[in-house]
């Protein structure tokens, strides 16, 4: 094949040498606009895992890189006058110039043609090419030329950063945070050769401008940074290799995603690779890794299909299918890390103590979990667990056992919870006329004995017309209250768990069939009139609700208050107001469902007016010593709907009105929403509200094991974790997760103690067998 790589960065060079080493008959040219020693940036960093992959694909190149790189295991935080260090992280740093020179030398050795100092204007300059690799970076001309086919999506992020170097050597990947009169700066620092370290300084746009950095030239910016980080630099200087750039050389990061990565121009297949196809923020050092992995995967697909031009279409299709998955995973992690640094000043730096700030920083991408930290640095993590437990009020036991974060106690008003796990409200649709029955006693009772600190029945409706389905629970009459007393008394008398009640009104999502007969589908008979913020049906075939009048509002408030008083008399420990998922109160909060032109519509204050009237009324009726929470849809996942920023505004309103907790769910406001699912995908919304609004939160969504919960709680991304489906599959989820992570101080019901030893022994045997098979 005739192959041309436009752009001589890591992607183009590495792909060229891999293909040439496997099939010397290929005629391969790499064309680079710069001279061999011209490059922006200082050092690049990637993980031990990437090095292992390079050893497998081209041992000679890997050996040359290993001879030149700087390896370190430690991460050090400099923050609020403290230095905290942890080990076991495994990074490789190498000068970008040195790495490119190694790849260039290997290409020449194998017979790849290298052309420098040539600006490629168009792919039409290579009409003889079968395959053109567009590895010409984030500002790719090839991608721009065929943008209608690649469909790039570039988002310019708000933070400013400047990529500098220093002649001081650092023996750890160092993060240095400094506060000025205008806000926070952070430096990302790592050594990449014997005498030089990369020194990236980052801050927000507001802080950047407040210091006048937008008006400074490069020398003035460098002088500013040297003064700001003088303590860490310890007399060493900062230097730049971006003299070719005008102005101060401060940049904004661009996050790039492309819908397609390849295009046939009529003669040649043009495929994007590296930063031309996707970018990942330097906060997790993944750009070079992605470029190398792209080159490896495209080569691997040719190895599988055969190195003939006729196989190019199939190879490119397979390459893109495989790489999209890993790239999306890395980009998601990089996005999480990037966003952490973008909000670090407003969300974490001023409020978190250095110990928790360090934990939050280490887990910022959500790729590194609690148990992963234990594998990396057990000593540090156990010290942090002790610190966290002490601040949760735990006095260390004589045997030295320290509870993991999810098993620390939590207190709000007079409600004392023995751990941080909640059985989330889950609709069972098994009531008759709103009355809880034996199913609910067994269902809720089993989970109360299963180790969770707090259990919630499903949303309990405040009137017959507040139900979602005929099978929904209610608390609007004495018969229901009497049946509820049996459940509440069992939980209090037979288990150490507490029990809450979630009061709600279905609004326009009411009068539907139970889930297993057609979720959200309207009843064939027996339907009741629906009310909502506006007269908009949920589905096209749903009954249309009536826009609420003032009379309707007064009646609904009275219904909520009556239910709250009944719940208080029954002894429920906490009351939650359901204002999420498109139900009645949620329909007022979202602009997608609230089209009112009166005082109950319009801006945030107007849309929140009626939900706040309901909340204030039930808060006044609820005992002062018992807490209240509010469940919000913190993201509508639909264009024109509420975003996390809107949710934070509403959370602040409910906090001011007396809410003790915000339960951070999302979606289900409209049927055509498009949530971006994934592990812990809703936790960032809880993180935002907890740490910006300064109100305790409950995290929900795809939290399925102790490792998840421990990571969330330890980082301060939530105070409690509400877990749903895992509790349906396993009523004793909390007991079993405690056993899996070896936490022996979790109490089991005395009636089940004989099973505990066998369960723990079975886990130990399974672990031993797994070790033998490795």
């Amino acid at each position: 094949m005739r192959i041309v790589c436009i752009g001589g960065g890591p992607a183009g060079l590495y792909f060229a040498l891999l293909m040439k080493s496997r099939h010397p008959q290929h005629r391969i040219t790499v064309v680079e606009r710069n001279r061999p020693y011209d490059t922006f940036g200082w050092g690049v960093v990637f993980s031990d895992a990437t090095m292992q992959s390079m050893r497998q694909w081209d041992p000679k190149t890997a050996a040359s890189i290993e001879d030149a790189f700087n390896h370190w295991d430690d991460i050090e935080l400099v923050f609020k006058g403290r230095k905290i260090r942890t080990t076991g992280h495994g990074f490789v740093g190498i000068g970008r110039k040195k790495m490119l020179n190694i790849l260039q030398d290997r290409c020449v050795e194998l017979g790849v043609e290298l052309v420098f100092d040539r600006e490629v204007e168009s792919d039409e300059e290579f009409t003889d090419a079968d395959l053109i690799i567009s590895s010409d970076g984030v500002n790719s001309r090839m991608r721009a030329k065929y943008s209608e086919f690649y469909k790039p999506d570039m988002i310019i992020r708000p933070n400013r950063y400047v990529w500098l170097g220093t002649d001081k050597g650092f023996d750890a990947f160092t993060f240095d945070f400094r506060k000025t009169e205008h806000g926070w700066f952070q430096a990302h620092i790592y050594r990449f050769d014997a005498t030089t370290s990369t020194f990236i300084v980052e801050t927000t746009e507001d802080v950047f401008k407040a210091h006048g950095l937008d008006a400074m030239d490069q020398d003035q910016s460098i002088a500013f940074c040297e003064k700001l980080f003088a303590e860490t630099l310890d007399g060493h200087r900062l230097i730049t290799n971006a003299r070719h750039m005008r102005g101060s050389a401060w940049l904004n990061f661009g996050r790039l995603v492309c819908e397609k990565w390849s295009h046939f121009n009529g003669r040649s297949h043009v495929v994007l690779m590296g930063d031309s196809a996707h970018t990942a923020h330097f906060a997790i050092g993944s750009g070079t890794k992605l470029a190398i992995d792209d080159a490896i995967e495209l080569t691997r697909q040719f190895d599988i299909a055969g190195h003939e031009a006729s196989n190019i279409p199939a190879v490119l299709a397979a390459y893109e299918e495989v790489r999209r998955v890993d790239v999306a995973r890395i980009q998601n992690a990089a996005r999480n890390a990037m966003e952490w640094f973008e909000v670090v000043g407003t969300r974490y730096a001023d409020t978190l103590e250095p110990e928790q700030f360090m934990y939050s920083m280490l887990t910022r991408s959500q790729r590194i979990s609690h148990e992963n930290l234990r594998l990396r640095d057990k000593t540090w993590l156990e010290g942090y667990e002790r610190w966290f437990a002490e601040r949760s009020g735990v006095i260390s036991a004589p045997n030295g056992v320290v509870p993991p974060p999810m098993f620390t106690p939590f207190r709000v008003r007079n409600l004392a919870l023995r751990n941080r796990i909640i059985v989330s409200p889950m609709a069972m649709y098994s009531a008759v006329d709103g009355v809880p029955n034996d199913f609910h006693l067994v269902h809720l009772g089993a989970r109360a004995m299963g180790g969770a600190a707090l259990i919630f029945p499903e949303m309990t409706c405040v009137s017959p017309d507040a139900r979602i389905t005929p099978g929904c629970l209610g608390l609007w009459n004495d018969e229901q209250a009497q049946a509820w007393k049996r459940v509440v008394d069992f939980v209090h008398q037979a288990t150490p768990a507490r029990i809450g009640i979630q009061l709600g009104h279905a609004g326009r999502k009411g009068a539907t069939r139970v889930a297993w007969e057609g979720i959200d589908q309207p009843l064939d008979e027996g339907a009741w009139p629906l009310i909502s913020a506006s007269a908009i049906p949920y589905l096209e075939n749903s009954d249309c609700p009536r826009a609420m009048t003032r009379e309707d509002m007064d009646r609904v408030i009275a219904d909520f208050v009556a239910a709250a008083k009944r719940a208080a008399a029954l002894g429920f420990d906490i009351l939650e107001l359901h204002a999420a998922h498109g139900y009645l109160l949620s329909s007022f909060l979202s602009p997608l469902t609230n089209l009112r032109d009166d005082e109950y519509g319009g801006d945030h204050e107007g849309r929140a007016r009626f939900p706040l009237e309901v909340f204030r009324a039930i808060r006044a009726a609820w005992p002062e010593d018992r807490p209240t929470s509010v469940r919000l849809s913190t993201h509508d996942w639909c264009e024109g709907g509420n975003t996390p920023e809107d949710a934070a505004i509403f959370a602040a309103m409910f906090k001011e009105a007396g809410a003790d907790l915000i339960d951070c769910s999302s979606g289900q406001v409209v049927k055509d929403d498009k949530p971006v699912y994934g592990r812990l995908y809703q936790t960032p919304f809880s993180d935002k509200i907890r740490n910006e609004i300064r109100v305790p939160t409950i995290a929900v969504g795809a939290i399925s094991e102790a490792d998840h919960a421990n990571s969330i709680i330890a980082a301060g991304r939530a105070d409690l974790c509400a877990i749903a489906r895992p509790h349906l599959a396993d009523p004793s989820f909390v007991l079993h997760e405690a056993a899996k992570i070896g936490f022996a101080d979790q109490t089991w019901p005395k009636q089940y103690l004989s099973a505990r030893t066998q369960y723990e022994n079975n886990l130990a045997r399974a672990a031993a067998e797994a070790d033998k098979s490795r």
Side-chain angles (χ1 to χ4, degrees):
M1 285 185 293
R2 172 68 172 128
I3 301 172
V4 176
C5 298
I6 302 173
L13 290 169
Y14 199 61
F15 176 71
L17 72 85
L18 289 182
M19 288 292 283
K20 193 69 173 177
S21 68
R22 274 156 177 73
H23 204 290
Q25 291 83 358
H26 291 321
R27 291 186 299 122
I28 306 177
T29 301
V30 178
V31 184
E32 167 58 40
R33 67 168 63 94
N34 295 316
R35 295 171 297 180
Y37 291 95
D38 284 349
T39 181
F40 176 71
W42 292 88
V44 296
V45 60
F46 41 90
S47 68
D48 286 345
T50 300
M51 267 318 306
Q52 178 60 33
S53 184
M54 295 180 76
R55 291 186 200 104
Q56 295 171 359
W57 281 88
D58 190 57
K60 189 167 184 179
T61 300
S64 297
I65 290 174
E66 286 182 299
D67 287 342
F69 70 38
N70 187 73
H71 181 277
W72 69 92
D73 287 312
D74 291 2
I75 291 177
E76 182 169 273
L77 169 68
V78 181
F79 180 63
K80 293 182 178 179
R82 297 271 304 281
K83 289 185 178 180
I84 302 176
R85 182 175 289 219
T86 176
T87 192
H89 301 284
F91 294 100
V92 173
I94 184 171
R96 181 173 171 83
K97 293 180 181 180
K98 181 65 176 177
M99 182 176 183
L100 292 180
N101 293 156
I102 290 171
L103 298 179
Q104 291 161 2
D105 290 344
R106 181 63 170 145
C107 282
V108 171
E109 178 185 337
L110 292 167
V112 174
E113 180 188 15
L114 301 183
V115 178
F116 292 101
D117 205 14
R118 175 179 172 182
E119 194 76 54
V120 176
E121 302 292 341
S122 171
D123 54 319
E124 295 174 7
E125 298 176 32
F126 309 100
T127 56
D128 63 334
D130 300 300
L131 180 65
I132 296 175
I133 304 297
S134 174
S135 51
D136 50 342
V138 69
N139 297 313
S140 169
R141 288 184 176 179
M142 298 305 105
R143 189 188 67 240
K145 179 178 179 180
Y146 296 116
S147 61
E148 64 180 303
F149 300 103
Y150 295 128
K151 297 182 180 178
D153 177 21
M154 175 75 81
I155 296 176
I156 303 302
R157 302 302 303 182
N159 266 19
R160 292 282 191 143
Y161 70 96
V162 60
W163 201 304
L164 303 171
T166 179
D167 55 0
K168 177 181 177 180
F170 288 79
D171 63 351
F173 200 131
T174 301
F175 294 95
D176 188 352
F177 292 81
R178 299 283 165 169
K179 188 173 185 181
T180 71
E181 65 272 27
H182 298 301
W184 288 85
F185 286 79
Q186 57 261 8
H188 310 240
I189 313 165
Y190 55 90
R191 181 174 177 174
F192 61 83
D193 64 25
T195 61
T196 324
S197 300
T198 292
F199 203 104
I200 305 171
V201 180
E202 183 182 16
T203 191
T204 64
E205 182 77 6
D206 289 345
V207 176
F208 173 79
K209 289 184 175 179
H211 281 283
L213 287 162
D214 54 330
M216 294 183 189
D217 61 23
Q218 289 192 46
D219 290 333
Q220 291 170 323
S221 284
I222 290 171
F224 175 87
C225 293
E226 283 180 339
K227 182 178 180 181
L228 181 61
F229 294 99
E231 181 181 5
T232 293
L233 287 167
D234 192 26
H236 291 263
R237 63 195 183 100
L238 289 175
I239 47 181
T240 179
N241 60 9
R243 294 295 182 187
H244 60 288
M245 297 181 64
R246 295 181 179 180
S248 67
W250 289 80
L251 303 171
N252 292 87
F253 177 76
R255 194 278 292 143
L256 172 67
V257 175
C258 291
E259 189 173 306
K260 287 187 62 181
W261 293 1
S262 64
H263 170 65
F264 183 64
N265 67 12
R267 295 175 305 275
S268 310
H269 293 272
V270 185
V271 60
L272 306 178
M273 185 178 288
D275 283 350
S276 298
H278 43 67
T279 58
H281 193 261
F282 55 82
I284 63 171
S286 55
T288 302
K289 168 189 167 53
L290 287 177
I292 294 296
D293 288 348
D294 282 353
I296 289 172
E297 185 56 39
L298 188 52
T299 303
R300 188 176 78 87
Q301 291 300 331
F302 275 112
D303 285 352
I304 293 171
H307 285 246
E308 290 82 34
S310 60
N311 292 324
I312 292 177
V315 165
L316 295 183
Y319 158 72
E320 185 170 341
E321 181 181 2
V322 172
R323 287 298 295 144
R324 273 198 181 280
V325 176
D326 189 52
V327 168
R329 181 178 61 82
I330 296 295
Q331 283 188 317
N332 285 340
R335 182 196 66 230
N336 292 338
M338 170 187 69
E339 291 177 350
W340 190 91
F341 283 105
E342 289 174 352
V343 300
V344 66
T346 58
R347 191 176 295 181
Y348 310 114
D350 285 328
T351 58
L352 297 185
E353 295 182 62
E355 288 82 358
Q356 190 167 42
F357 187 87
M358 177 67 155
Y359 187 101
S360 179
M361 186 187 73
L362 291 174
T363 58
R364 64 191 182 276
S365 71
Q366 294 188 181
R367 285 198 307 168
I368 297 175
S369 68
H370 196 76
E371 293 307 314
N372 187 264
L373 283 174
R374 195 181 308 279
L375 291 174
R376 293 170 183 239
D377 192 343
K378 181 180 180 182
T379 300
W380 178 84
L381 184 67
E382 288 181 348
Y384 179 72
E385 287 180 329
R386 186 174 300 278
W387 178 91
F388 188 91
E390 288 173 355
R391 275 151 185 78
S392 300
V394 176
I395 300 174
S396 297
N399 61 1
V401 173
V402 176
M406 68 178 278
F407 289 108
T408 58
F410 180 75
R411 189 178 187 91
V412 54
R413 298 207 186 205
N414 279 355
L415 175 62
L417 301 177
R418 59 187 182 132
N419 62 52
R420 306 296 187 102
I421 303 301
I422 298 172
V423 175
S424 192
M426 295 171 282
M428 297 289 103
Y429 305 121
S430 298
V432 177
D433 295 328
V435 179
N437 51 45
D438 286 350
F439 170 85
H440 299 93
L441 177 65
V442 174
H443 168 68
L444 297 169
R447 283 144 188 86
M449 292 190 293
L454 175 64
I455 64 167
F456 271 103
E458 64 201 85
M459 183 179 86
T460 300
C461 304
V462 297
S463 62
D465 66 337
R467 291 173 297 168
I468 310 167
T469 76
C472 288
L473 288 167
L475 188 51
W476 64 80
N477 62 37
D478 292 341
E479 181 185 4
Q480 294 159 352
Q482 185 175 358
W484 271 119
K485 188 175 189 309
R486 186 175 174 223
V487 175
V488 174
D489 287 350
F490 177 83
V491 172
H492 285 160
Q493 295 167 11
T495 82
R498 303 291 89 189
I499 182 169
I501 189 163
Q502 183 190 73
L503 296 180
H505 191 299
R508 71 180 190 139
K509 295 177 76 173
T512 64
R513 305 172 197 170
V514 295
W516 46 87
E517 293 178 359
I519 190 167
D520 295 327
Q521 294 303 311
L523 291 170
D524 293 327
E525 57 182 28
W528 47 87
L530 303 180
I531 55 175
S532 189
S534 299
I536 306 171
Y538 183 62
L539 303 177
E540 289 185 3
N541 64 322
S542 296
D543 293 339
C544 188
R546 182 181 76 251
M548 289 181 71
T549 64
R550 181 67 252 180
E551 183 181 4
D552 293 325
M553 294 179 188
D554 291 340
R555 177 179 65 84
V556 168
I557 291 173
D559 290 340
F560 270 98
V561 169
K565 290 179 177 179
R566 283 192 169 95
L570 289 167
F572 281 99
D573 300 291
I574 179 173
L575 184 153
E576 178 165 286
L577 179 65
H578 201 326
H581 301 166
Y583 297 125
L584 181 64
L585 301 185
S586 171
S587 74
F588 276 85
L589 295 175
S590 175
L592 298 173
T593 51
N594 185 340
L595 307 181
R596 301 175 73 102
D597 58 7
D598 62 4
E599 61 182 328
Y600 292 96
D603 60 11
H604 294 98
E605 184 179 359
R607 300 202 308 274
R609 192 181 306 279
F610 177 61
L612 284 168
E613 287 179 1
V614 174
F615 177 78
R616 292 189 180 101
I618 61 172
R619 180 64 265 185
W622 187 247
E624 179 65 25
D625 62 342
R626 296 187 221 174
T628 53
S629 61
V630 178
R631 173 164 280 209
L632 293 178
S633 283
T634 52
H635 199 319
D636 285 353
W637 299 109
C638 187
E639 186 175 354
N642 283 330
T643 66
E645 287 67 34
D646 299 301
I649 293 171
F650 293 133
M653 292 178 176
F654 281 107
K655 173 190 175 183
E656 184 180 4
D660 301 290
L661 291 152
I662 302 297
D663 190 348
C664 301
S665 188
S666 73
Q668 302 178 53
V669 172
V670 292
K671 193 64 173 179
D672 58 346
D673 62 357
K674 294 179 174 60
V676 180
Y677 293 110
R679 183 173 61 89
L680 315 184
Y681 74 105
Q682 295 181 128
T683 299
F685 311 142
S686 167
D687 187 346
K688 177 181 179 66
I689 288 173
R690 181 186 190 272
N691 292 300
E692 289 183 9
I693 307 304
R694 310 285 193 260
V695 60
T697 59
I698 302 170
V700 307
I703 304 168
S704 59
E705 58 185 69
D707 200 18
H708 296 165
N710 279 323
S711 300
I712 292 168
I713 301 301
R717 296 187 171 100
D719 299 275
L720 299 166
C721 290
I723 297 176
R725 291 173 185 173
H727 272 120
L728 289 183
D730 181 4
S732 297
F733 168 81
V734 176
L735 299 181
H736 293 159
E737 288 300 301
K740 288 175 185 176
I741 64 173
F743 179 58
D745 279 13
Q746 172 65 27
T747 302
W748 283 52
K750 59 181 179 292
Q751 297 91 339
Y752 298 166
L753 284 176
S754 61
R756 176 176 184 167
T757 301
Q758 183 183 46
Y759 185 81
E760 292 174 343
N761 288 341
N762 287 342
L763 290 174
R765 280 194 292 270
E769 290 297 323
D771 288 340
K772 288 180 184 178
S773 65
R774 291 193 180 99

